[in-house]
Amino acid sequence: MSFEVSRRYGRYWDDCMVLDEVIQDYPFHTTGKNERDFENGFATSLIVAQRNFNCKVITQIDKSTTVKSVHCFGKRHRPDMTLDENGVAIELKYITYSGLKDAIGQGYLYRLQYKFVFLILVISEDRKDIYEDIHTGKEKALEDTLQHLADNMNIFTYIVPAFNLKPAVRKCYSFFEPVNA
């Protein structure tokens, strides 16, 4: 078992930079009450932005396309959205009680078949303490883990709130560097 070869240049990398902008601009704090709502809303934004991507946007809400799954551990695992069939996998998780570890594990599995993986972790208001701990620096181990995944595995994570923020709190914690390496 090995990972899909990926280099931080070319059309897939260019699409990663466009995807970064779409994620950073998306109003997660206003769009849903559950994971399906967030997935549908964000997938719609990707479809609308299709003209900005070099690759085809493939989502589960577009009935004319099929998101390609990864076979591992005797099961098929399918990301929520992709750019091309093996380019960029996008997994969105609505974090209520758990799900953080699951999302990281899913990202690892998707990396077997996709060149880049984007994890979008939408933190529910019930778990806003996680977001506050990241803001205050109490989640250094989590941040180090996510930075390692970005630097070494091409698994890029975004942590965004599903709630309104206090002034001076970042609206997105991103572990993606949109520069050529």
Side-chain angles (χ1 to χ4, degrees):
M1 192 178 330
S2 65
F3 294 112
E4 184 69 26
V5 175
S6 61
R7 293 176 180 83
R8 293 183 181 192
Y9 59 85
R11 72 184 183 123
Y12 290 121
W13 184 248
D14 291 344
D15 280 353
C16 287
M17 289 188 277
V18 173
L19 180 57
D20 174 65
E21 289 177 20
V22 173
I23 294 168
Q24 297 275 0
D25 290 341
Y26 191 78
F28 288 100
H29 68 287
T30 63
T31 58
K33 293 184 172 110
N34 58 49
E35 189 165 315
R36 177 60 66 198
D37 289 347
F38 285 103
E39 288 172 9
N40 289 343
F42 189 72
T44 301
S45 275
L46 287 180
I47 291 168
V48 168
Q50 172 66 67
R51 69 185 174 282
N52 299 322
F53 292 105
N54 296 304
C55 302
K56 180 170 178 49
V57 173
I58 304 171
T59 71
Q60 294 184 39
I61 65 169
D62 181 355
K63 301 300 182 196
S64 67
T65 62
T66 303
V67 175
K68 191 174 178 183
S69 59
V70 176
H71 187 269
C72 191
F73 302 122
K75 294 180 108 180
R76 296 203 171 278
H77 307 272
R78 186 170 61 178
D80 297 320
M81 299 149 257
T82 67
L83 302 177
D84 271 356
E85 287 191 3
N86 70 339
V88 181
I90 304 159
E91 180 67 24
L92 189 147
K93 282 287 183 213
Y94 184 56
I95 308 300
T96 53
Y97 180 70
S98 62
L100 207 52
K101 294 182 291 187
D102 294 338
I104 292 169
Q106 282 179 278
Y108 196 84
L109 292 180
Y110 299 149
R111 189 59 186 83
L112 294 170
Q113 187 168 309
Y114 291 88
K115 293 172 180 12
F116 301 101
V117 175
F118 280 69
L119 301 174
I120 303 169
L121 308 178
V122 182
I123 307 296
S124 70
E125 188 157 13
D126 294 343
R127 297 303 310 255
K128 73 191 310 183
D129 56 319
I130 292 172
Y131 203 83
E132 290 171 3
D133 286 350
I134 292 168
H135 174 70
T136 60
K138 292 180 186 173
E139 282 290 349
K140 180 84 170 104
L142 173 62
E143 291 183 65
D144 289 348
T145 299
L146 298 178
Q147 192 63 57
H148 177 80
L149 290 172
D151 293 342
N152 298 295
M153 308 269 311
N154 287 330
I155 299 172
F156 307 108
T157 306
Y158 294 76
I159 301 173
V160 297
F163 49 88
N164 290 321
L165 295 168
K166 297 174 186 171
V169 176
R170 289 172 38 188
K171 79 170 205 162
C172 177
Y173 285 89
S174 168
F175 296 86
F176 175 76
E177 294 292 326
V179 295
N180 290 331

